[in-house]
Amino acid sequence: MDDNILVEGLCKKYDGFILDHVSFRVPKGRIVGFIGENGAGKSTTISLILDGLKKDGGKVEVLGMNHRNHAVREKIGVVFDECNFHDIFTAGDMERILSGVYKSWDSTLYQNYLERFGLPRDKPVGSFSKGMKMKLSILCALAHKPELLILDEATTGLDPVVRDEILDLFLEFTGDKGHSVLFSSHITSDIQKIADDVVLIHQGRIVFGESKSGLVQRYGIVRCAKGESPAMSPDDFCRHRTTGRYEEFLVSHREAVGRKYKGIRIEDAALEDIMLFYMKGDVSCGD
């Protein structure tokens, strides 16, 4: 079993939205970034993986088991974009509660995390900043020593310093090659920094799922002044957009395009560029 999450043909239908045969995998030892616009289906997919919603079709396995198996819950840590701990509770209260929920809860590890990240044990959560609350949520998810972390916008709204601390923690977690992270985020710079693989979902469908290094190497941007665009075949670019004075073409095989169109300049494409082209660009006739 090489995957900690395996999703095949996952479907869910609402009025006005369809999650359409979504398939991807989260291999052991890797961080998978899950990106897409608001309403693309990221949170719906995560809820289905966690059995918070009933799927209409498809298959989901978590840690080699059916995702509905109760044994799965002991082995995963989950963090959403808001801290769900009541304001009157303290970090000490959360330990007393969660140590009764998880058989594998490690009080020493939890205390070490609190000290490392400067979180008080006896102050109410209501007095914490947003960054402190998110740190506490993540530390609680880690203190029962899960094999898999599932994060849904867990770094949204945090300042860069706090985000950097949290991202380092995720990298440490996957230092154990049996561990994995599924990390949904709008902040593509976070994904670009730590993800091994990237899955892009758009309007309920998976656009691609592959290694981050492969994406960055394959994709590129041809940028030119309006009216001076090269006579590119629609088969050679996947998205086109006009921005201010420029026309831009997203190519998914930059080396092949460079060989075909001699002298053409192809710029690097960051993950954010690629995502924005798919969200806002026009589809090429050859797409």
Side-chain angles (χ1 to χ4, degrees):
M1 194 268 293
D2 296 322
D3 298 318
N4 279 339
I5 298 178
L6 179 63
V7 176
E8 294 182 340
L10 187 61
C11 298
K12 181 67 180 179
K13 186 174 182 180
Y14 297 104
D15 288 340
F17 177 78
I18 298 176
L19 194 72
D20 190 3
H21 293 85
V22 163
S23 299
F24 65 92
R25 52 193 288 264
V26 178
K28 287 184 176 182
R30 297 179 76 83
I31 298 175
V32 175
F34 195 30
I35 62 175
E37 77 275 21
N38 283 335
K42 300 188 302 298
S43 293
T44 297
T45 301
I46 287 174
S47 293
L48 290 166
I49 291 171
L50 295 172
D51 196 31
L53 293 173
K54 183 179 179 182
K55 64 182 185 292
D56 293 332
K59 171 185 173 183
V60 180
E61 289 186 358
V62 177
L63 301 171
M65 296 177 276
N66 185 291
H67 69 127
R68 304 193 70 184
N69 189 325
H70 286 285
V72 166
R73 301 183 184 186
E74 179 76 20
K75 298 182 179 183
I76 62 174
V78 181
V79 183
F80 297 103
D81 61 342
E82 294 289 341
C83 176
N84 294 318
F85 304 150
H86 198 288
D87 283 351
I88 65 171
F89 290 149
T90 66
D93 292 330
M94 294 315 305
E95 177 180 12
R96 285 186 285 274
I97 293 168
L98 294 175
S99 63
V101 174
Y102 295 105
K103 297 175 183 177
S104 56
W105 181 269
D106 188 327
S107 293
T108 300
L109 178 62
Y110 182 65
Q111 183 59 40
N112 289 341
Y113 277 143
L114 293 180
E115 292 174 2
R116 173 181 169 182
F117 289 96
L119 296 180
R121 186 179 182 85
D122 299 318
K123 288 187 177 180
V125 171
S127 69
F128 286 13
S129 66
K130 179 167 184 177
M132 293 169 69
K133 289 179 180 179
M134 290 312 300
K135 285 181 185 178
L136 181 60
S137 295
I138 292 165
L139 301 188
C140 286
L142 289 170
H144 70 278
K145 299 190 287 190
E147 297 176 31
L148 169 68
L149 276 179
I150 297 179
L151 312 162
D152 193 5
E153 303 292 348
T155 58
T156 299
L158 303 182
D159 69 64
V161 174
V162 174
R163 291 208 331 265
D164 200 56
E165 289 181 297
I166 289 172
L167 295 179
D168 284 344
L169 198 57
F170 300 156
L171 289 169
E172 288 178 21
F173 177 74
T174 52
D176 183 321
K177 297 304 181 182
H179 292 173
S180 304
V181 176
L182 176 62
F183 182 19
S184 166
S185 180
H186 288 99
I187 307 173
T188 52
S189 60
D190 286 354
I191 300 293
Q192 183 129 9
K193 180 176 180 180
I194 67 167
D196 300 294
D197 306 300
V198 180
V199 175
L200 173 62
I201 187 170
H202 176 49
Q203 297 179 348
R205 295 183 177 182
I206 298 297
V207 177
F208 57 68
E210 61 180 282
S211 73
K212 178 187 66 181
S213 59
L215 284 168
V216 173
Q217 289 172 5
R218 280 204 308 111
Y219 278 85
I221 300 170
V222 176
R223 182 178 289 113
C224 53
K226 286 182 180 177
E228 298 180 6
S229 59
M232 291 179 65
S233 165
D235 293 330
D236 294 326
F237 64 93
C238 47
R239 288 293 190 277
H240 163 268
R241 68 181 182 182
T242 302
T243 58
R245 296 176 296 163
Y246 297 99
E247 284 190 83
E248 298 177 340
F249 301 85
L250 181 70
V251 299
S252 59
H253 295 88
R254 60 187 299 173
E255 289 188 5
V257 170
R259 288 193 299 269
K260 183 173 181 179
Y261 300 92
K262 301 299 184 182
I264 196 171
R265 182 184 176 190
I266 304 176
E267 301 177 11
D268 292 340
L271 286 180
E272 182 172 359
D273 297 318
I274 297 170
M275 186 177 82
L276 288 175
F277 264 101
Y278 275 101
M279 302 307 104
K280 296 183 177 181
D282 300 321
V283 182
S284 81
C285 296
D287 193 43

